[in-house]
């Protein structure tokens, strides 16, 4: 066996994974900017706009961001935000939480939702 070649291949794979992860975040950031940033911010201490600031959203119960006036439907949904719940919610928010005041129609493409969620996971931590 040529262990030098194996190490080299592992480096190539690691480089591709790192590059893909960076690309994924850049794509997610672009999606956020074009589809979400009119209504939401992500940074710690960021302002609420038409929608709430999303910082700390992962692991938080729906309708619980301090200082934002949520619909009763959102406050009472009992949803804990994670990758899976956001993935389903972002497909069609009004169907996922009936009575939400979020007017966004949703993101139909699974890959776009996944890229956005990866970005949000980094940007809102």
């Amino acid at each position: 066996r040529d262990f030098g070649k194996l190490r080299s291949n592992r480096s190539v794979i690691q480089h591709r994974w790192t590059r893909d992860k960076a690309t994924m975040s850049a794509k997610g950031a672009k999606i956020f900017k074009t589809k979400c940033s009119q209504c939401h911010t992500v940074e710690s201490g960021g302002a609420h706009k038409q929608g709430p600031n999303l910082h700390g959203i992962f692991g938080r119960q729906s309708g619980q961001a301090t200082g934002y006036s949520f619909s009763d439907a959102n406050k009472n949904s009992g949803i804990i935000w994670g990758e899976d719940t956001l993935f389903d919610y972002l497909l069609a928010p009004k169907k996922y939480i009936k009575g939400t005041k979020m007017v966004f129609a949703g993101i139909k493409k699974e890959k776009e939702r996944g890229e956005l969620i990866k970005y949000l996971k980094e940007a809102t931590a």
Side-chain angles (χ1 to χ4, degrees), residues 41-46 52-58 60 65 122-125:
T41 58
V42 292
E43 62 277 348
S44 177
N53 171 279
L54 300 176
H55 192 268
I57 191 170
F58 287 88
R60 184 171 66 210
E122 294 172 11
T124 63

Side-chain angles (χ1 to χ4, degrees), residues 38-115:
Q38 284 183 304
C39 298
H40 296 281
T41 58
V42 292
E43 62 277 348
S44 177
H48 296 305
K49 293 183 174 182
Q50 183 174 348
N53 171 279
L54 300 176
H55 192 268
I57 191 170
F58 287 88
R60 184 171 66 210
Q61 184 173 330
S62 177
Q64 304 300 312
T66 305
Y68 184 78
S69 178
F70 288 94
S71 65
D72 287 339
N74 209 306
K75 288 189 276 191
N76 299 326
S77 70
I79 295 166
I80 304 296
W81 295 119
E83 291 176 46
D84 55 341
T85 51
L86 277 171
F87 189 82
D88 293 342
Y89 177 74
L90 290 170
L91 174 63
K94 287 195 171 289
K95 288 183 181 177
Y96 195 77
I97 299 178
K98 294 194 186 316
T100 184
K101 60 184 183 180
M102 183 161 158
V103 295
F104 183 62
I107 299 173
K108 305 303 177 219
K109 295 179 181 175
E110 290 183 8
K111 188 172 182 181
E112 280 189 17
R113 291 196 316 266
E115 290 167 348

Side-chain angles (χ1 to χ4, degrees), residues 28-46:
K30 185 175 180 180
I31 293 165
F32 181 83
K33 184 177 180 183
T34 59
K35 297 187 179 199
C36 311
S37 67
Q38 284 183 304
C39 298
H40 296 281
T41 58
V42 292
E43 62 277 348
S44 177

